Amino acid sequence: MHNIYLATIFAGALICLLASLLLFSRRKDGERSRTILSCIVFFSVFNYITRFINLINGEVPQLIVSVPMLVLAIFMVISYIMYPIEVISPGWLNFRRILKLYSPCLFILVTYKISLWANVEYKPYNTLFDMIPHVGNFDVLFRFMLAFLIFMPILFIFFIPYTRRYNNTDYVWMRKYVFTLSLNTLAYILVLTFEDPIVRTLYYYVSVGCSLYIAYMELFVRLIRKPVATETALKIEEEPTTPCTESFSKVKNTILIERLNAYMENTFAWRDPDLSLNTLAQALCTNRTTLNQVIQDNGYESYTAYIN
C-alpha cells in the first residue's frame, strides 16, 4: 500500500504539472484568470513533490492535523478563491486586496507563534477523532477551529461583485466550481478525520481529479463574453428594415465601443484613479457627449458604471 501511495503522489504531481503548463500556454492577453489558475495548480505540484521526496528519504511527514498543515490547507483554499474572483470580476484583484485575502493566514500564524511563546504545548495527534477527548485544551480547540475555517472561504465566492456586462461566465459555471472545490475540501476533511492509507490515497485521486476538472472548465467550458461588435452586428442583421441613417449611426457606435473596449483591455486604463470621461474621449479622438451616449447605448447607466 505504501508503494501505491508513493506512486499516486508522483502521478498526481506529474498530471498537475502538465495541467499547469497547459493553462499557462493557453493564457490570453488582457486576462489573468488562466495565469492565476496555472500558478495555483503548480503550487499543488510543489506540495506533492515535497511530500514525495520526504517519504522517499524515509522522513516522517508533518502530522496532517498540525497547525502548519492546517494553515497550509486554508492557504490553498483561499488561493483557489482568487481564480473565480478574477473570472467574475476581472481586474478587481490588486496587491492590497490580495493581502487582505490572505490576511487570515497571517493572523493565524501570528496567533500560533504567540501561543508558542506562551508555552502552549501542541500535543501530536493523528486525526481529529483522536483530539475529541481533549477538546477542552487550547491546542485542540485551536486546531478544530482551523479545520472549520477550511470550508469558510468557499462561501466568499457568492459575494464576489459580479460584473454584469463583462460576462466571462455564468451562475451555472459558478455552481459547478463551488461544488468541485467543496468536494475537494470535503475529501481533505475526511483525511483529517480518518487515519487510513486507503483514504489518504483516494484523497489524491479526488484532489487531482478536481484540479483537472477545473482546468477543463477553464479551457473548454467557461463562457467568454461575445465581442460587442458581434452582438451589435447580429442586431443589425435582425432589423433589415432599419433606415440607412440609423444603421450608419449604429455602425459608428459599434466602432467606437469596440475601440473603447480594446483601449481598456490593452492599457488597463480603468485602473487609473484619475481617469475621467474627458481624458478617455481625448484618447479615443471623440467628444465626451458622444462617448457618454455610446456607453449608455451599450447597457451602462453612466461612465462610472462602465468603469466599475
Side-chain angles (χ1 to χ4, degrees), residues 126-176:
N126 292 320
T127 65
L128 294 177
F129 269 149
D130 295 341
M131 295 192 300
I132 291 178
H134 311 281
V135 72
N137 299 335
F138 174 81
D139 65 308
V140 173
L141 190 62
F142 185 57
R143 280 180 278 187
F144 267 114
M145 182 194 70
L146 297 184
F148 174 76
L149 288 177
I150 293 175
F151 261 112
M152 295 304 294
I154 299 175
L155 302 177
F156 181 72
I157 295 179
F158 294 102
F159 298 94
I160 299 173
Y162 186 74
T163 309
R164 180 173 59 87
R165 289 291 299 177
Y166 204 104
N167 292 324
N168 276 330
T169 185
D170 56 13
Y171 286 106
V172 174
W173 174 89
M174 191 187 303
R175 287 193 295 268
K176 289 181 179 179

Side-chain angles (χ1 to χ4, degrees), residues 70 73-81 101 104 108 144-160 178 181-182 185-186 189:
L70 292 172
I74 297 174
F75 176 86
M76 287 302 299
V77 174
I78 292 177
S79 298
Y80 271 101
I81 299 302
L101 202 61
I108 293 169
F144 267 114
M145 182 194 70
L146 297 184
F148 174 76
L149 288 177
I150 293 175
F151 261 112
M152 295 304 294
I154 299 175
L155 302 177
F156 181 72
I157 295 179
F158 294 102
F159 298 94
I160 299 173
V178 171
L181 187 57
S182 300
T185 306
L186 179 61
I189 295 297

Side-chain angles (χ1 to χ4, degrees), residues 114-275:
I114 292 175
S115 67
L116 292 178
W117 291 336
N119 296 322
V120 174
E121 182 183 358
Y122 287 85
K123 296 180 180 179
Y125 298 100
N126 292 320
T127 65
L128 294 177
F129 269 149
D130 295 341
M131 295 192 300
I132 291 178
H134 311 281
V135 72
N137 299 335
F138 174 81
D139 65 308
V140 173
L141 190 62
F142 185 57
R143 280 180 278 187
F144 267 114
M145 182 194 70
L146 297 184
F148 174 76
L149 288 177
I150 293 175
F151 261 112
M152 295 304 294
I154 299 175
L155 302 177
F156 181 72
I157 295 179
F158 294 102
F159 298 94
I160 299 173
Y162 186 74
T163 309
R164 180 173 59 87
R165 289 291 299 177
Y166 204 104
N167 292 324
N168 276 330
T169 185
D170 56 13
Y171 286 106
V172 174
W173 174 89
M174 191 187 303
R175 287 193 295 268
K176 289 181 179 179
Y177 185 84
V178 171
F179 174 78
T180 305
L181 187 57
S182 300
L183 179 63
N184 194 4
T185 306
L186 179 61
Y188 186 77
I189 295 297
L190 291 177
V191 173
L192 294 177
T193 307
F194 300 101
E195 186 184 8
D196 190 331
I198 296 179
V199 173
R200 297 193 177 189
T201 303
L202 290 176
Y203 163 73
Y204 281 98
Y205 285 101
V206 173
S207 181
V208 173
C210 290
S211 298
L212 286 180
Y213 183 66
I214 291 173
Y216 167 77
M217 287 198 300
E218 168 62 29
L219 293 171
F220 304 108
V221 176
R222 182 168 68 84
L223 301 177
I224 303 296
R225 176 180 63 88
K226 293 181 179 179
V228 177
T230 303
E231 294 176 353
T232 310
L234 290 174
K235 291 180 182 178
I236 294 176
E237 290 178 1
E238 293 173 358
E239 301 175 2
T241 58
T242 304
C244 294
T245 54
E246 187 176 346
S247 299
F248 180 72
S249 176
K250 285 186 177 182
V251 172
K252 288 179 62 179
N253 290 349
T254 300
I255 294 174
L256 184 55
I257 195 65
E258 187 176 3
R259 287 171 51 205
L260 174 61
N261 289 334
Y263 178 79
M264 286 296 189
E265 292 175 359
N266 293 333
T267 64
F268 299 98
W270 42 271
R271 295 181 178 177
D272 185 3
D274 298 325
L275 183 69

